[in-house]
Amino acid sequence: MKNKYLYISDLDGTLLNGHKQISEFTKQTLNSLIDKGIDFSVATARSAASAVKILSDLQLKIPIILLNGVGIYDVLDHRYLKIEKIETNTAYGILDVLEKYNSTGFMYNIVNGKLNTYYECLATPYLQEYHDERVIKYGKKFKHVSSLTDVIMAGEVIYFTLMGEQQYLEMLIDDLKKLPAIDVMLSSDVYRENLWYLEIHSTNASKYNAVKYLRDHYGYDKIIGFGDNFNDIPLYKACDEFFAVQNAIGELKDIATGVIGDNHSDGVAKFIAARESLTRLY
């Protein structure tokens, strides 16, 4: 009996090119392979608002992993299959830490199956650009509120994201790690030098756990992953084989099964196509 396996790729810096797009070559190649029966999905830090639009030209059938594993989303039925929430008291604690350091960012919650993104103010150029790009390019809707504290009880809080210079964000980490049942992840932006993201979510939320969910629910014998950044290390740990793109950070290339072509050269699509061609030969 033929083994059942899944290819799963990160988006930014891995499947997407430098214009934050899926190239025509990658689109045609993956759609052809999906038509022939391969299973393909993505695991990204993006939310559904931008990820679904970016992926709209791919004929995906397998649920995708969003917000670094916070959510698993069915692209065919347009609904979340699984969400990992942050406990209410911990969410209040996160806001206390942000206030202590005079910091702010975006808070995400789920209300009646719908994702909402809130902010108090766009206090830095990084926050403003993040907001504007997603509104203009992807039609994402943000909700401006006077206080994030006021909307914690409005739904299930699932995610916080902050952005800025590495040194600035690192100051918050020790206090955040004192809070129960959350993980804190710091990673660099793949498009802009000196821009870093600090992401906060439940300890149950990770690309590792989300990939395990897909493995268990779809009965995969083997999972082959692709990535480029620190937040792909949990993806690496969940996969039977993992390949870093040439432009990946050194730490990921050091532990990967192998290194493939970069994201500007359709490395992921070319690798899968070549592997599937060899598989058919044997």
Side-chain angles (χ1 to χ4, degrees):
M1 183 177 176
K2 186 177 179 181
N3 286 341
K4 185 177 182 181
Y5 54 96
L6 171 70
Y7 292 105
I8 187 163
S9 177
D10 173 54
L11 280 183
D12 295 277
T14 305
L15 192 67
L16 305 188
N17 60 26
H19 301 293
K20 306 181 185 181
Q21 298 172 338
I22 292 176
S23 74
E24 188 65 23
F25 175 87
T26 288
K27 180 186 78 173
Q28 291 183 3
T29 300
L30 291 179
N31 281 338
S32 175
L33 291 166
I34 291 169
D35 282 344
K36 292 174 182 175
I38 76 156
D39 283 359
F40 180 83
S41 184
V42 302
T44 178
R46 289 180 177 266
S47 70
S50 60
V52 170
K53 187 165 185 177
I54 288 169
L55 296 166
S56 61
D57 288 335
L58 292 185
Q59 297 165 10
L60 297 178
K61 302 173 184 176
I62 306 303
I64 61 176
I65 296 168
L66 299 173
L67 297 172
N68 284 325
V70 169
I72 299 175
Y73 188 79
D74 188 321
V75 292
L76 299 178
D77 290 342
H78 304 287
R79 65 186 181 92
Y80 292 93
L81 301 178
K82 193 169 186 288
I83 285 288
E84 300 293 352
K85 70 175 184 176
I86 297 172
E87 294 300 326
T88 300
N89 288 340
T90 301
Y92 282 119
I94 292 168
L95 293 181
D96 287 341
V97 173
L98 300 192
E99 183 178 7
K100 175 180 176 180
Y101 291 94
N102 193 30
S103 183
T104 190
F106 299 101
M107 184 179 83
Y108 299 69
N109 76 1
I110 294 285
V111 179
N112 297 323
K114 180 182 177 182
L115 180 70
N116 301 283
T117 307
Y118 302 91
Y119 69 94
E120 292 177 341
C121 63
L122 302 173
T124 69
Y126 302 125
L127 294 172
Q128 186 71 57
E129 289 170 15
Y130 181 92
H131 169 275
D132 292 350
E133 179 190 46
R134 278 153 178 77
V135 170
I136 296 168
K137 195 170 184 179
Y138 306 115
K140 180 179 174 69
K141 295 181 180 179
F142 292 82
K143 296 187 177 182
H144 180 212
V145 295
S146 58
S147 172
L148 293 176
T149 302
D150 294 341
V151 294
I152 281 183
M153 298 303 295
E156 296 181 329
V157 177
I158 61 169
Y159 195 73
F160 290 82
T161 184
L162 315 177
M163 55 205 68
E165 296 179 2
Q166 181 179 8
Q167 184 177 5
Y168 164 74
L169 295 174
E170 283 177 340
M171 293 190 301
L172 286 71
I173 292 177
D174 285 344
D175 281 350
L176 288 170
K177 285 186 173 180
K178 294 174 184 176
L179 299 172
I182 58 167
D183 277 338
V184 181
M185 181 176 295
L186 184 65
S187 58
S188 59
D189 184 79
V190 300
Y191 304 107
R192 182 168 177 174
E193 191 175 358
N194 298 322
L195 175 59
W196 288 70
Y197 292 88
L198 185 64
E199 294 152 322
I200 309 164
H201 50 72
S202 163
T203 51
N204 294 324
S206 68
K207 289 186 179 182
Y208 178 92
N209 286 340
V211 169
K212 186 177 184 300
Y213 175 93
L214 294 180
R215 185 192 293 271
D216 293 344
H217 280 72
Y218 291 87
Y220 291 115
D221 300 296
K222 178 179 282 190
I223 296 181
I224 303 156
F226 306 91
D228 73 299
N229 212 332
F230 289 108
N231 62 354
D232 294 316
I233 292 176
L235 176 59
Y236 149 79
K237 292 179 179 178
C239 293
D240 301 285
E241 297 179 30
F242 181 89
F243 296 89
V245 286
Q246 183 61 49
N247 52 288
I249 59 171
E251 291 89 339
L252 200 59
K253 290 196 276 190
D254 288 344
I255 60 177
T257 307
V259 178
I260 63 173
D262 64 38
N263 68 313
H264 304 292
S265 306
D266 303 292
V268 171
K270 288 177 179 177
F271 176 87
I272 297 174
R275 182 167 180 143
E276 287 298 305
S277 178
L278 286 173
T279 300
R280 286 193 292 273
L281 287 175
Y282 295 98

